[in-house]
Amino acid sequence: MRACPPAETLRAARRDSTLRARDLAASLNVSEAALVAAHTGAPAPFSVTRIAADPDVLMPNMARLGRIMSLTRNDSCVLERVGTFGDYHSGAHAAFVLGKEIDTRLFPKYWTYGFAVEEETAKGLRRSLQVFDRYGEALQKIYLREESNTEAWAPLIAELRLDDQSPEIDPHAPPAPEGARPAPGKREALVAEWRKMTDTHQFNRICTRLGMNRLGAYRMAGAPFARRVAVSAVADWLEAVSAAHQRVGFFVGNRGHIQIHWGTFDTLKPMGPWLNVLDPEVNIHLRNDHIAEVYVVEKPTKRGPATSIEAFDARGELIFQCFGQRTETDETLDGWHAILDAIPSLREAAE
């Protein structure tokens, strides 16, 4: 377990700080979930109610809130998507919400702590549902907007409210990053299995069977399966996708949740180390300085090659994946492939 100061100490720290909760928690060497939990039962301006974190209990009710903003992040990328939740599909290993606006994949075993948060801000009352894993790290946050169904909030929280309203929790210490895990001597087997894929979801099973992880497999396979490109290519790639109005599927996730934006990147606003997409329905905030390795990856499927660009941080953690979005008018994704083909390989970029 990670040692945690008393709830009142954390409340006082938050009152005296202008930092975001995630950054404040890091500065205090506590988990963000512990910082949020400390305000359970507290009065305004920051009050918290502990709620069920079980996706089967929580997610079927999200459509009641109407149009919301769903936020998923990791240490290097934040994806904020505006929309309405569609149908929830339960699963012991993986559950999902499929919709034109909100598209997510959930891994229930990690959904440990749930909170309903009400915060008084200069712009008015901000309401959110926040879910964290056993390590106290955020998995998903759902924020109400001006157009949300605010009348559904109070009865929903009453239904989801836990009997345990303790302001203190005991998250586990997070595990060390795995880093790249190749399997020496198994490149031939990897390539043979790679060529036989008919669905991108088969890739993880191949890696597990061969005793490697995603980044380890990419390093071993090399071009043309996983072509390493320069880190600087990401900014240029974003510009090219935006200029071409290319529709994409942009995946951002953490150990317990993946969210996908389907559509274009219209408004780019770089700011310091951040590469930002600031569109009405989607905001993306990407720490360009965290990117350590980038690959253009091609996997065979029944519909033709699925080609993605994927970025990893210095610890070997996946930051994002992005695929071209097939549509009725763009089935072959020629424009998407042209954008990726124009990115020079790492060795070429250095020359």
Side-chain angles (χ1 to χ4, degrees):
M1 301 292 183
R2 181 190 293 185
C4 189
E8 184 50 48
T9 301
L10 295 180
R11 292 183 189 181
R14 193 187 178 284
R15 282 195 299 269
D16 297 336
S17 177
T18 58
L19 295 175
R20 293 179 181 270
R22 181 184 178 92
D23 297 328
L24 175 59
S27 73
L28 297 171
N29 195 32
V30 300
S31 70
E32 184 182 356
L35 180 62
V36 174
H39 294 78
T40 301
F46 193 86
S47 58
V48 172
T49 302
R50 293 184 65 170
I51 61 172
D54 182 346
D56 286 353
V57 176
L58 185 64
M59 301 311 291
N61 288 291
M62 292 303 95
R64 292 164 58 179
L65 296 174
R67 197 164 176 79
I68 49 79
M69 186 272 279
S70 173
L71 184 153
T72 303
R73 70 165 300 156
N74 51 50
D75 286 342
S76 304
C77 192
V78 183
L79 172 57
E80 303 170 359
R81 190 67 171 84
V82 175
T84 302
F85 276 87
D87 292 337
Y88 169 70
H89 302 266
S90 178
H93 168 67
F96 55 93
V97 175
L98 291 180
K100 293 182 178 180
E101 297 174 319
I102 305 295
D103 190 352
T104 70
R105 310 291 181 267
L106 305 84
F107 305 101
K109 71 176 183 179
Y110 294 109
W111 286 51
T112 306
Y113 302 109
F115 305 98
V117 179
E118 295 186 333
E119 180 180 8
E120 295 285 357
T121 73
K123 296 182 179 180
L125 181 63
R126 181 165 63 182
R127 302 177 179 92
S128 63
L129 302 174
Q130 304 187 13
V131 180
F132 298 81
D133 64 17
R134 70 187 69 153
Y135 311 110
E137 297 179 349
L139 299 181
Q140 184 179 23
K141 298 181 181 181
I142 298 167
Y143 289 87
L144 270 65
R145 293 165 53 86
E146 185 176 347
E147 67 269 27
S148 300
N149 180 15
T150 55
E151 292 184 0
W153 173 263
L156 176 58
I157 302 313
E159 293 173 27
L160 297 173
R161 188 182 190 276
L162 296 178
D163 292 335
D164 180 4
Q165 291 296 311
S166 168
E168 296 180 354
I169 60 174
D170 293 308
H172 292 254
E178 182 180 45
R181 179 163 52 89
K186 293 187 177 179
R187 182 182 184 277
E188 186 174 332
L190 171 63
V191 168
E193 292 290 328
W194 195 307
R195 293 184 189 277
K196 292 189 292 185
M197 273 193 286
T198 57
D199 187 290
T200 57
H201 295 97
Q202 296 167 351
F203 178 75
N204 287 337
R205 294 195 291 273
I206 292 171
C207 288
T208 299
R209 190 162 58 247
L210 296 177
M212 60 186 72
N213 63 10
R214 179 181 300 273
L215 182 55
Y218 290 171
R219 288 183 180 179
M220 287 187 64
F225 309 98
R227 180 171 64 90
R228 189 170 178 180
V229 301
V231 168
S232 59
V234 172
D236 295 337
W237 161 77
L238 269 176
E239 291 281 358
V241 168
S242 179
H245 303 290
Q246 173 66 51
R247 297 187 67 85
V248 299
F250 187 80
F251 292 61
V252 175
N254 48 58
R255 65 173 60 89
H257 191 249
I258 298 170
Q259 183 161 252
I260 310 162
H261 162 63
W262 297 101
T264 56
F265 301 146
D266 295 327
T267 306
L268 305 185
K269 295 283 187 181
M271 186 175 298
W274 293 94
L275 299 176
N276 300 298
V277 177
L278 302 178
D279 292 336
E281 309 302 321
V282 62
N283 280 192
I284 296 168
H285 311 289
L286 172 64
R287 281 290 297 260
N288 196 35
D289 58 330
H290 283 192
I291 299 173
E293 294 183 44
V294 184
Y295 293 84
V296 172
V297 182
E298 183 173 301
K299 300 185 182 85
T301 75
K302 292 179 180 178
R303 299 180 65 185
T307 308
S308 60
I309 183 169
E310 307 187 18
F312 297 81
D313 66 18
R315 303 168 303 170
E317 299 287 294
L318 180 64
I319 298 174
F320 73 83
Q321 295 176 289
C322 191
F323 295 81
Q325 181 183 3
R326 284 190 170 94
T327 65
E328 292 182 358
T329 58
D330 189 11
E331 178 65 27
T332 59
L333 294 175
D334 291 342
W336 172 249
H337 292 137
I339 291 170
L340 297 185
D341 289 345
I343 301 175
S345 298
L346 185 60
R347 184 175 298 177
E348 296 170 354
E351 293 175 352

